[in-house]
Amino acid sequence: IAIPNGIRLQPFAGAEARSFAEREAGLVMVARFAKQKDHATLLRALALLRARGLRPTLWLAGGGKPRHRGVIETLANDLGLGEQVQFLGVCRDVPGLLLRNRIAVLSTHYEGMPLALIEGMAAGCAVVGSAVPGVREVIADGEDGLLVPEADPAALAAALERLLCDDAFAASLASAARRAATEKYSRELMNRRYEALFLELAAR
């Protein structure tokens, strides 16, 4: 028996009132700086997009170890992305950040339950994630998000380019992502599932 973790949906209640077209064509990745997370692949994908004339702002929200963040800051500068990548540190208003932007990304090596990605879905963002355990169980590729091979900057750049250049496709994914988040990953649903399991066990 597997019961998915749930998120608080209330902070994302305004997602449908903020249309996809009204949002900034920006990218958001909410993740701590750690070996598990793959910020480097996302930056390299961003550099590929820049070479194609696409320069979306990338917002990186999350704490983590200073030495891991330092490596990523150095890489951003080496790739000429210094002004394009915004390091926010620990963000106190993740819902607001997601609701202002169109695309949520989780470039990672592995996950348990990617709650940050689910929050992006609940916010009505088009989502892109690495096709690794944990993420594969949340995103239905091409239906409510896009999956890309792990540590593949070219594949990630291609997925992001499609979302940045095809507004109708990106909006349809975003709408499906929000629907999936609200139907499958609410904290209330998680609680009901635990309650039903406990009652079933008690009845035995």
Side-chain angles (χ1 to χ4, degrees):
I1 297 171
I3 297 177
N5 289 333
I7 64 167
R8 291 178 60 242
L9 293 176
Q10 190 280 330
F12 305 99
E16 293 171 6
R18 189 170 302 194
S19 73
F20 194 80
E22 293 174 337
R23 302 181 183 206
E24 298 174 27
L27 317 177
V28 177
M29 179 162 157
V30 181
R32 71 187 187 283
F33 290 91
K35 287 183 179 180
Q36 174 189 351
K37 311 300 181 180
D38 191 10
H39 294 84
T41 290
L42 177 54
L43 292 188
R44 293 187 176 101
L46 206 64
L48 293 174
L49 291 177
R50 188 181 180 92
R52 301 170 195 171
L54 296 171
R55 300 187 178 188
T57 299
L58 170 61
W59 304 91
L60 296 178
K65 296 183 178 180
R67 63 188 178 90
H68 289 304
R69 171 170 167 162
V71 169
I72 300 304
E73 288 177 329
T74 299
L75 179 61
N77 288 326
D78 289 347
L79 292 172
L81 301 171
E83 296 180 0
Q84 195 176 337
V85 180
Q86 302 297 316
F87 291 84
L88 302 178
V90 176
C91 180
R92 301 300 179 188
D93 185 19
V94 168
L97 178 65
L98 290 167
L99 289 167
R100 289 194 301 272
N101 290 277
R102 293 186 181 183
I103 299 170
V105 185
L106 183 58
S107 181
T108 183
H109 295 299
Y110 63 90
E111 292 292 320
M113 185 74 185
L115 296 181
L117 189 64
I118 294 171
E119 288 186 341
M121 296 168 71
C125 295
V127 297
V128 183
S130 304
V132 298
V135 178
R136 288 196 302 256
E137 286 70 37
V138 171
I139 294 179
D141 187 35
E143 297 179 18
D144 55 21
L146 295 177
L147 290 171
V148 297
E150 177 189 1
D152 188 334
L156 181 53
L160 293 173
E161 182 176 16
R162 186 177 183 190
L163 294 178
L164 290 166
C165 296
D166 189 340
D167 290 350
F169 176 66
S172 69
L173 285 188
S175 178
R178 173 155 172 79
R179 187 165 55 250
T182 56
E183 291 177 356
K184 300 177 183 178
Y185 300 113
S186 71
R187 188 170 292 180
E188 292 76 14
L189 177 58
M190 178 189 74
N191 291 340
R192 289 198 301 270
R193 286 169 166 164
Y194 274 112
E195 182 179 11
L197 176 60
F198 293 154
L199 290 173
E200 179 187 342
L201 294 173
R204 293 181 186 178

